Amino acid sequence: MRHTMSRFVVRRLAALALIFFVPVPSAADDAIMSIDQYQTLKARGLATTHQGELQKMREEIYHCMPWVGVQKAGIGFRQPKGAVEDDRYLSVWIVIDQNEDARFAALPAERRASAMFSRYGTDLLRRMASLQPVVADANVKGFSVVLSWLKPGTGSAVQPVNETLALFVDKPTALGFLAKRVSAGEFTRRAKFTVFDGVQDMGRLPLEVWEDSFVRTYKVANYEAPKGQRCSG
């Protein structure tokens, strides 16, 4: 399964001049942003303090979500694009194994982004919210999910194109949303997010969020997570 996933990432990952850096496929050992990649003492301190939580996140995605790949250095403490203050968000960037589907392709870009966030984004937020030391750390402003998937109709191109949603949300809003104290509409109103079509910044498209149980219920044929591996999504 993991060798298949690696081939998918190499074949489909577009060269996006995105928020953080040009994407490069990740192996399990380089999914976490290294300490020397951070520019501030605050960020390096968070990465050092919560190294165990970052590793837990990596292992949980690797074993519990075998249909996605983590972007190289895709797990770490990042800032939104254009941030003035050194606010840090626990961030996870995944690349989703999405086959061509006529129904998905027929949706407008904002609906595709909404579907991907509803399916994978909320699940990642649940996993991050289960990391109690991170939740309790006042130096962690919130959570961020970055989702990339193959743009419909570009899979056979010389250079396939990825669509990407990058979302940052503060902890009270994220935790309130997961506990159903904050509505989906209020959640999207408060969150900072951008949708990309390859390298083109499409800005803040209308984003809807709905219940999607796929990640928690879908089972990959002939695959079982290692004994003792807890999947919190």
Side-chain angles (χ1 to χ4, degrees):
M1 170 60 66
R2 282 297 157 185
H3 293 301
T4 301
M5 184 66 229
S6 296
R7 287 197 297 273
F8 159 75
V9 173
V10 171
R11 177 168 55 86
R12 293 189 175 180
L13 193 59
L16 304 179
L18 238 173
I19 305 172
F20 311 132
F21 48 83
V22 176
V24 178
S26 165
D29 291 340
D30 58 11
I32 298 174
M33 190 174 177
S34 63
I35 302 297
D36 59 8
Q37 289 179 285
Y38 293 100
Q39 302 299 313
T40 70
L41 287 174
K42 179 180 180 179
R44 289 193 289 272
L46 287 172
T48 301
T49 299
H50 298 296
Q51 188 69 17
E53 282 71 42
L54 298 181
Q55 291 172 351
K56 179 180 178 182
M57 176 64 68
R58 177 192 64 189
E59 291 301 305
E60 189 164 319
I61 294 173
Y62 186 83
H63 292 299
C64 302
M65 301 175 71
W67 49 90
V68 308
V70 178
Q71 163 65 32
K72 183 176 182 181
I75 300 175
F77 292 96
R78 298 193 178 278
Q79 301 170 289
K81 183 180 180 180
V84 177
E85 302 296 330
D86 191 21
D87 292 332
R88 295 288 166 167
Y89 295 72
L90 173 59
S91 181
V92 178
W93 184 349
I94 63 170
V95 182
I96 301 160
D97 188 351
Q98 176 76 4
N99 292 326
E100 290 283 359
D101 180 271
R103 292 170 299 177
F104 184 73
L107 299 174
E110 62 268 22
R111 195 68 174 175
R112 293 197 295 269
S114 297
M116 286 299 187
F117 185 83
S118 297
R119 175 161 293 184
Y120 298 100
T122 54
D123 181 78
L124 289 174
L125 287 178
R126 288 188 191 97
R127 296 178 194 277
M128 287 188 270
S130 73
L131 303 175
Q132 289 304 314
V134 174
V135 173
D137 193 328
N139 286 321
V140 180
K141 177 75 172 179
F143 305 121
S144 167
V145 294
V146 184
L147 313 174
S148 292
W149 60 91
L150 183 69
K151 181 180 179 180
T154 71
S156 60
V158 174
Q159 181 172 305
V161 176
N162 271 11
E163 294 179 318
T164 297
L165 168 67
L167 181 143
F168 291 78
V169 63
D170 64 86
K171 280 190 295 189
T173 297
L175 296 174
F177 168 67
L178 294 173
K180 300 188 183 303
R181 297 190 303 270
V182 173
S183 69
E186 182 64 12
F187 170 85
T188 57
R189 187 187 70 79
R190 296 182 192 177
K192 302 173 184 177
F193 63 87
T194 304
V195 178
F196 292 85
D197 179 353
V199 299
Q200 179 184 358
D201 185 342
M202 301 177 69
R204 190 181 171 92
L205 298 182
L207 185 70
E208 297 181 64
V209 183
W210 55 81
E211 290 288 335
D212 190 318
S213 62
F214 173 83
V215 174
R216 284 172 287 174
T217 60
Y218 180 77
K219 301 297 182 183
V220 177
N222 302 316
Y223 175 79
E224 292 292 336
K227 186 176 180 179
Q229 174 66 50
R230 181 175 178 271
C231 296
S232 64

